[in-house]
Amino acid sequence: MRSTIPALALLLGLSACDQQATDSTRPQQAQAPTSVETSAATLQTFEQLREQFVNELWQLFPSWAVREGYYKVADQLQVPDDAYRQRVLDFATTYSRKFANLDSSRLDANASSDLALIQNFLSRIQWQLKTFKSYQWNPADYNVSHAFALILNTDYAPLDERLRTFSKRMAKVPAYYDAAEKSLRTPASPQLVLAVEQNEGALSVFGEELKQKLAQSGLSDDEKKEFTQRLQDARQAIEEYVTFLQTKHTDLEKTQKYKDFRIGEKLYEEKFKYDIQIGMTAKELYERALEEKAKLHEKMAELADKLWPKYFPEKQQPQDKLDRISAVLEKLSEHHATKETFKAEVEKQIPELAAFVTEHDLLTLDEDKPLVVRTTPPYMRGFAVASINAPGPYDKDANTYYNVMPIEDFPDDRAESLLREYNSYLMQILNIHEAIPGHYTQLVYANKSPSLIKSILGNGAMIEGWAVYTERMMLEAGYGDFSPELWLMYYKWNLRTVTNTILDYEIQVKGIDEERAMELMVRDAFQQQAEAMGKWRRATLSQVQLTSYFAGYADILALREEMKQKLGEKFNLKEFHEKFLSYGNSPVPVIRELMLAELDGQ
């Protein structure tokens, strides 16, 4: 495993020989700075530059700032036109140059890793704007609703103050969507459909609940009048954008001249490098996933053979191992919640997981950080069955939301398929992944990290990898009493993680079609039809992100084994977990370097 911390060229000639006059009558020359002094000076320069970088970052990206709990810029809304993109590009190139002038060898491990994350982020921005250019073909990039919803529903300030912020921000919504329409050229079809759905959902943020809060507020009559006009203009802008997209969709359907949602090998490898940061190529990870898939099939076949007499005492086993595995999984999948009780069952399991983690001393949990299970808001639907929205480091005490898709609203056949997928066994793995000790727990720890950079420049492979790692860790610790049924379902879930990597690479690089993708998920990975259809859609909407689960998980597992070997009897699982999480959302190779550096120091 290679470190992601770059070795920068020495650009500052700060060392000098220590020369003193031998003649006592001659004035003594000033002593050159020692290495300790130059390191301190470099660190101070870096810290000042890092602070400037963060301050300018939030001025450029106020919507992102709001998501991180930084509300000083909440009344601002960036208008995504050419001038704005040039400002972002200038920011990235200027700070790339400034940070490149620092000698990372004179920084401590924490500062050096911060520098590496910043440099990757700045390089990624330049690549996005100059090469990837999703702003020209992904209309789902344009949606104002999330930050508005946070301003409205987060009690960071009195309601009247938040409504005034909301109003000022809302004044720019028409210009925002006008710029979006002008920025788009030929969209990709899946992104076009998603953009229509989510922007139609965005109207709910600007609906009746908002009007009621305005009516009950202490705003003056003039303020309410201005707010109401801006609200009308904002809704009209969103509706016109939706109509614009629908018209474009109709026109492109006739000619089938959509932009291909597949980005190809070159762009995929470049995006993988910036997004995943694990020290291997996308192709190498793909090949590793193929090997892991074969191993999981063998483990699942062994468990299916063990369970077969229990569930099919009068039936002969099929010769094909995939058929045997599938039959047992289908039988176990009959145990599931109803579509009306699914969300309640999710909520019910959270305290049970917390109790297990505490009882088995796996992690220290912060009971004061609220977790709210809710139905996925309309403007966020169409991407995943479940997800987490966590507060950022500037507003650590705000709610974390566990979003659950409204399965109760689905047709019976689709609901039944999803419920069989997220059956009573897999629901437990899902809750471990999304909540405790997965995403929710990890993001609470991330907000406590002393490094703001490591929290805000989060690495998706570490975040998703941790959630996947905890699934296995919990079962290894005895969750589920080592039930072979739960372990078989866990392997199915873990196979999904591995298949995500295979699926994403084969769609985006190898160009497989929907039929082959469905075969891969349903036949080879035992997924229900509804889940597989949803994943196909997701894989057409994003690139690389689906590889983050396996990439991060494999690295974390390898790091745990490495630390076990180095520490021997001194290894403590809880200490490993808490030390690992203390570094925020850093890439796993960066965390490895920091943990090894600390171990060497001890």
Side-chain angles (χ1 to χ4, degrees), residues 332-589:
L332 296 179
S333 297
E334 293 174 2
H335 302 281
H336 60 71
T338 67
K339 68 178 188 177
E340 290 79 16
T341 63
F342 183 78
K343 179 170 168 287
E345 289 295 323
V346 166
E347 198 163 7
K348 178 183 174 183
Q349 284 184 0
I350 305 304
E352 296 172 4
L353 294 172
F356 182 89
V357 169
T358 300
E359 180 184 346
H360 289 76
D361 206 25
L362 301 174
L363 268 171
T364 301
L365 299 178
D366 189 339
E367 298 179 359
D368 296 328
K369 303 300 181 186
L371 175 63
V372 179
V373 181
R374 69 175 181 180
T375 299
T376 306
Y379 58 87
M380 296 175 65
R381 294 176 191 171
F383 201 74
V385 169
S387 62
I388 286 285
N389 280 123
Y394 294 98
D395 193 18
K396 301 174 184 179
D397 295 327
N399 290 339
T400 296
Y401 291 103
Y402 185 171
N403 305 308
V404 180
M405 196 67 75
I407 295 178
E408 66 274 15
D409 296 341
F410 293 177
D412 287 345
D413 56 345
R414 184 183 176 202
E416 176 64 18
S417 182
L418 281 171
L419 290 167
R420 289 178 68 86
E421 180 71 21
Y422 295 92
N423 54 68
S424 299
Y425 300 102
L426 278 192
M427 182 186 284
Q428 298 173 71
I429 308 299
L430 173 69
N431 286 330
I432 290 171
H433 180 104
E434 296 292 347
I436 296 173
H439 285 319
Y440 162 70
T441 303
Q442 182 264 318
L443 293 167
V444 169
Y445 269 84
N447 280 342
K448 296 177 180 178
S449 170
S451 168
L452 180 63
I453 292 297
K454 292 183 177 68
S455 291
I456 63 176
L457 301 184
N459 173 256
M462 180 272 175
I463 294 169
E464 294 296 354
W466 170 261
V468 174
Y469 163 78
T470 61
E471 302 157 11
R472 173 167 171 168
M473 180 270 290
M474 287 283 280
L475 267 65
E476 288 176 336
Y479 180 80
D481 297 324
F482 301 100
S483 154
E485 288 89 347
L486 184 59
W487 270 97
L488 179 60
M489 278 295 181
Y490 160 74
Y491 284 135
K492 172 187 168 174
W493 183 276
N494 194 237
L495 181 59
R496 181 197 295 190
T497 294
V498 173
T499 303
N500 281 348
T501 293
I502 299 169
L503 177 73
D504 201 59
Y505 190 86
E506 291 195 353
I507 289 174
Q508 295 291 335
V509 175
K510 292 180 173 293
I512 65 169
D513 60 15
E514 183 176 0
E515 182 180 357
R516 168 59 190 139
M518 294 297 288
E519 180 186 359
L520 173 64
M521 290 182 281
V522 175
R523 169 68 177 166
D524 296 358
F526 314 105
Q527 295 175 24
Q528 297 289 327
Q529 192 77 12
E531 171 65 22
M533 289 174 65
K535 188 59 62 67
W536 160 259
R537 186 186 189 202
R538 181 172 169 183
T540 65
L541 289 168
S542 65
Q543 318 83 23
V544 172
Q545 193 274 334
L546 283 172
T547 71
S548 62
Y549 301 86
F550 179 56
Y553 160 73
D555 266 9
I556 294 170
L557 206 58
L559 175 59
R560 186 183 74 176
E561 296 311 305
E562 183 179 6
M563 296 303 291
K564 277 184 178 181
Q565 290 182 7
K566 287 184 176 294
L567 291 170
E569 294 181 356
K570 294 182 179 179
F571 178 83
N572 179 281
L573 188 61
K574 180 180 182 180
E575 290 177 3
F576 169 76
H577 291 156
E578 294 185 349
K579 177 58 66 176
F580 179 87
L581 293 179
S582 71
Y583 296 110
N585 301 322
S586 305
V588 180

Side-chain angles (χ1 to χ4, degrees), residues 221-236:
D221 290 343
D222 285 344
E223 286 177 314
K224 289 180 178 179
K225 182 178 179 181
E226 181 180 58
F227 190 106
T228 301
Q229 183 60 55
R230 287 175 175 175
L231 175 58
Q232 180 180 327
D233 294 342
R235 286 185 62 87
Q236 182 178 339

